[in-house]
């Protein structure tokens, strides 16, 4: 057991505290190279969000130097280094301002103003983002404090994703979509607070030396301020996380209900709309008129799926088309009906083809049986012969007989079958 626990100890790989503090201190500054890298990362992230390219956004995360001042904030609080704390705080605010201004200017002049999925993904932070930021921060400070850094730092930069939410906030400002700005900037604050918190906790656990040893009152005051900030940041994310879980549960139950229960004879479902926010399911059908009694029976089944508070609306496709003034909706329903009709016709043609093939095989079997009574069973199937030079339609036949069929009879059967099927391309296999 002790050998297993020894694997988790960090003492052998621990970097010199002085070198770690110096490394984080150097990463805090935003001037010269660091500042230009920040500006370029902002442009790359904004472009990636604008053209909806995850690869470009990930590239911006990898080169972004925003992690530096955030880890500086956590370490400054952990070792009671007010100089580092002030320096990190100033550079953090400066970097955030540069990021907002640069991304806002980019999106203000960009001809593409649509909110792509890469943008929307950064506008609704939840408790899960808190966990990602905190665990990512733990990995980041542990890697920085270790001699074996490996590829942890790039991975942390991707996981915690500081740059994309900041640029998304710039998009919200440029397009005056305040809900996007608030959601994205809140995600940026979540990442900031919990990466800094992870750095603070890890530095204390690793027993980084205090620069100025605080007295008990000062230490308690700092801890109180930190936890107030953490709780204030945490509470909204818990609410949003709970809201997302409830929406997912509603959508899952609603889809199960529709798939299992919402089937009416002589009708097909043209459109399904599930709205978790208003707890509403709207189903639009095409076909015969659905009776009120059938709709009431369907509504009664909502309880079975714990959807008793759900408002179920049934719309009759053709009457809905007549009442609707929305051309796009009419076109959507018309196309859906057309697609269903084509599908039904194709399936009907396939069934006809299968039925015809079955009838033909049965008839030929009877005719062969009359000529050769020893035949036990017969298989006939159209197929395609393919090789490097040709591709052509052929027939394949398999015939089984109780007694051995001589070569003359085989040849006669094959020639007869060619005439019967009006083809020269046939492969016959014989079994005795």
């Amino acid at each position: 057991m002790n050998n297993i626990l020894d694997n988790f100890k960090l003492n052998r790989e621990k970097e010199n505290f002085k070198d770690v503090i110096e490394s984080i201190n150097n990463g805090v500054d935003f001037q010269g190279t660091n500042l230009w890298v920040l500006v370029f990362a902002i442009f790359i992230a904004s472009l990636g969000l604008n053209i909806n390219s995850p690869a470009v956004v990930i590239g911006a995360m990898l080169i972004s130097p925003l992690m530096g001042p955030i880890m500086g904030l956590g370490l400054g609080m952990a070792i009671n280094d007010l100089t580092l704390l002030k320096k990190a705080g100033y550079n953090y605010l400066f970097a955030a301002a540069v990021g907002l201004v640069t991304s806002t200017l980019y999106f203000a002049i960009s001809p593409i103003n649509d909110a792509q999925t890469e943008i929307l993904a950064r506008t609704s932070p939840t408790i899960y983002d808190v966990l990602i930021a905190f665990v990512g921060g733990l990995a980041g400070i542990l890697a920085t404090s270790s001699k074996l850094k490996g590829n942890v730092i790039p991975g942390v930069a991707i996981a915690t994703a500081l740059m994309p939410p900041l640029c998304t906030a710039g998009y919200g400002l440029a397009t005056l979509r305040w809900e996007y700005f608030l959601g994205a900037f809140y995600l940026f604050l979540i990442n900031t607070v919990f990466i800094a918190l992870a750095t603070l906790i890890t530095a204390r656990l690793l027993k980084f030396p205090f620069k100025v040893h605080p007295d008990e009152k000062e230490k308690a005051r700092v801890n109180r301020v930190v936890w107030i900030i953490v709780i204030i940041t945490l509470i909204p994310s818990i609410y949003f996380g709970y809201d997302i879980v409830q929406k997912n549960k509603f959508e899952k139950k609603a889809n199960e209900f529709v798939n299992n229960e919402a089937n009416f004879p002589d009708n097909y479902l043209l459109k399904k709309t599930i709205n978790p926010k208003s707890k509403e399911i709207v189903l639009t059908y095409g076909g015969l008129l659905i009776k009120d009694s059938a709709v009431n029976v369907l509504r009664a089944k909502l309880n079975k799926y714990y959807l008793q508070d759900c408002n179920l609306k049934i719309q009759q496709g053709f009457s809905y088309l007549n009442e609707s003034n929305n051309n796009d909706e009419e076109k959507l329903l018309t196309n859906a009906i057309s697609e269903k009709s084509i599908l039904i016709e194709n399936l009907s043609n396939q069934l006809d083809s299968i039925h015809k093939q079955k009838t033909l095989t049965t008839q030929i079997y009877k005719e062969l049986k009359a000529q050769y009574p020893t035949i036990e069973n017969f298989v006939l199937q159209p197929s395609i012969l393919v090789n490097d030079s040709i591709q052509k339609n052929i027939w394949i036949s398999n015939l089984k007989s109780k007694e051995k069929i001589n070569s003359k009879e085989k040849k006669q059967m094959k020639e007869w079958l060619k005439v019967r099927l009006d083809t020269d391309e046939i492969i016959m296999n014989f079994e005795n």
Side-chain angles (χ1 to χ4, degrees), residues 34-303:
N34 255 8
L35 181 58
W36 279 109
V37 171
L38 173 67
V39 172
F40 294 147
I42 291 164
F43 272 114
I44 292 171
S46 298
L47 281 162
L49 293 170
N50 210 192
I51 63 174
N52 206 38
S53 172
V56 176
V57 174
I58 289 171
M61 297 179 202
L62 285 171
I63 65 175
S64 167
L66 272 174
M67 185 77 77
I70 297 175
M71 292 180 71
L73 286 169
L75 184 63
M77 288 185 287
I79 65 175
N80 202 32
D81 186 343
L82 294 181
T83 303
L84 175 59
L85 190 59
K86 289 178 182 177
K87 181 181 174 184
Y90 168 79
N91 281 283
Y92 168 76
L93 293 174
F94 176 67
V98 170
L100 273 177
V101 170
T102 306
S103 57
T104 301
L105 288 174
Y106 169 80
F107 283 111
I109 61 175
S110 172
I112 305 173
N113 291 321
D114 294 335
Q116 307 285 357
T117 53
E118 284 294 314
I119 289 176
L120 295 174
R122 272 92 188 178
T123 58
S124 302
T126 68
I127 186 65
Y128 300 105
D129 294 294
V130 169
L131 295 174
I132 292 168
F134 183 67
V135 177
L138 290 174
I141 185 60
L142 274 178
T144 305
S145 305
S146 169
K147 295 176 183 177
L148 307 174
K149 293 175 175 56
N151 59 355
V152 176
I153 299 299
V156 171
I158 295 172
T160 52
L162 289 159
M163 187 62 68
L166 188 61
C167 294
T168 301
Y171 170 83
L173 285 177
T175 57
L176 300 180
R177 299 184 182 182
W178 302 112
E179 70 279 12
Y180 291 173
F181 169 75
L182 293 173
F185 198 72
Y186 175 48
L187 176 55
F188 179 66
L189 289 178
I190 283 176
N191 290 337
T192 299
V193 170
F194 285 92
I195 291 171
L197 177 65
T199 303
L200 187 157
I201 292 173
T202 306
R204 292 273 176 89
L205 290 174
L206 293 176
K207 297 181 179 179
F208 274 65
F210 287 104
K211 184 172 184 180
V212 177
H213 210 304
D215 58 37
E216 290 303 318
K217 286 185 178 179
E218 184 182 359
K219 191 175 179 180
R221 182 174 60 83
V222 170
N223 288 341
R224 190 162 53 247
V225 170
V226 168
W227 285 111
I228 288 172
I229 293 172
V230 167
I231 291 169
I232 290 173
T233 308
L234 185 63
I235 289 173
S237 70
I238 294 174
Y239 168 77
F240 292 134
Y242 174 79
D243 191 47
I244 283 182
V245 170
Q246 293 302 111
K247 285 180 180 177
N248 286 341
K249 285 174 65 177
F250 180 86
E251 287 179 355
K252 183 180 178 181
K253 291 175 184 175
N255 278 309
E256 286 180 3
F257 167 76
V258 173
N259 293 335
N260 297 338
E261 309 292 348
N263 301 307
F264 294 102
D266 302 316
N267 279 276
Y268 43 85
L269 187 62
L270 295 175
K271 185 180 177 185
K272 172 182 68 176
T273 304
I274 297 172
N275 191 337
K277 190 173 182 179
S278 61
K279 290 190 175 181
E280 185 177 73
I281 301 174
V282 181
L283 304 177
T284 304
Y285 289 89
L288 300 179
L289 184 67
I290 302 171
K291 295 180 180 179
D292 291 339
S293 57
V295 174
N296 291 333
V297 169
L298 182 62
R299 286 198 176 104
K301 293 180 180 178
L302 288 168
N303 293 340

